[in-house]
């Protein structure tokens, strides 16, 4: 497996838009253009990383400086686990929140609740699951 590499925002946005995922750190790369994605992610102080073909990202929780919202385009749980370990060690985060995301990637996260009618897509609002982790849980 390759190492995690921080991406410049524009490069990360282009890679993210090419993946076709939805709901990555609160943006929708399928329906939003690159300029809007960059603006929203920049406003959230988000950082994007590449790990092989996967795009990973985090945005700090401004109300809780030791917590970050994380997202991944990969269904591989070991990638998200390694990313949270990287953030725990190198960025000093102690807890992580993932809103939506590939369910199979969330092993090691526990289901904390559901945001009702949180995401609009396909002409209607959808519920989104929220998962939390300390970054120390092993994927099971």
């Amino acid at each position: 497996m390759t190492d995690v590499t921080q991406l410049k925002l524009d490069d990360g946005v282009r890679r993210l838009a090419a993946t076709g995922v939805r709901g990555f750190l609160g943006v929708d790369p399928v329906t939003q253009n690159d300029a809007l994605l960059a603006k929203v992610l920049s406003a959230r102080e988000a950082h994007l990383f590449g790990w092989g073909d996967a795009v990973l990202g985090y945005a700090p929780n401004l109300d809780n400086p030791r917590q970050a919202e994380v997202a991944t385009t990969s269904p591989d749980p070991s990638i998200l686990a390694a990313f949270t370990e990287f953030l725990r060690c190198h960025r000093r985060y102690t807890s992580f929140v993932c809103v939506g995301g590939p369910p199979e990637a969330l092993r090691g996260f526990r289901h904390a609740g559901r945001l009702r009618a949180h995401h609009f897509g396909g002409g209607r609002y959808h519920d989104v699951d929220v998962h939390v982790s300390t970054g120390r849980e092993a994927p099971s």
Side-chain angles (χ1 to χ4, degrees):
M1 187 173 290
T2 61
D3 291 328
V4 63
T5 313
Q6 186 160 3
L7 303 170
K8 292 181 180 178
L9 187 60
D10 291 339
D11 295 336
V13 164
R14 276 192 291 282
R15 284 184 62 175
L16 184 59
T19 65
V21 300
R22 303 189 91 143
F24 187 95
L25 294 178
V27 298
D28 188 352
V30 174
T31 61
Q32 295 171 328
N33 64 37
D34 290 1
L36 181 57
L37 294 173
K39 181 179 179 179
V40 172
L41 291 172
S42 179
R44 293 199 62 204
E45 300 179 21
H47 299 274
L48 300 180
F49 294 79
W51 189 313
D53 293 336
V55 177
L56 301 140
Y58 80 91
N61 179 346
L62 301 178
D63 294 325
N64 181 354
R66 294 288 179 215
Q67 184 178 69
E69 181 180 344
V70 294
T72 181
T73 61
S74 173
D76 185 351
S78 64
I79 291 176
L80 188 57
F83 185 57
T84 57
E85 178 65 16
F86 167 82
L87 293 173
R88 199 176 60 71
C89 292
H90 297 284
R91 303 294 164 97
R92 303 293 185 218
Y93 288 106
T94 58
S95 66
F96 305 94
V97 174
C98 191
V99 179
E104 55 276 6
L106 298 174
R107 289 187 295 186
F109 281 70
R110 69 176 173 77
H111 185 263
R114 178 168 288 148
L115 296 173
R116 300 281 181 202
H118 182 71
H119 172 74
F120 185 81
R124 65 186 183 94
Y125 286 95
H126 302 272
D127 297 345
V128 177
D129 289 328
V130 177
H131 296 83
V132 296
S133 171
T134 63
R136 294 182 183 268
E137 297 88 346
S140 53

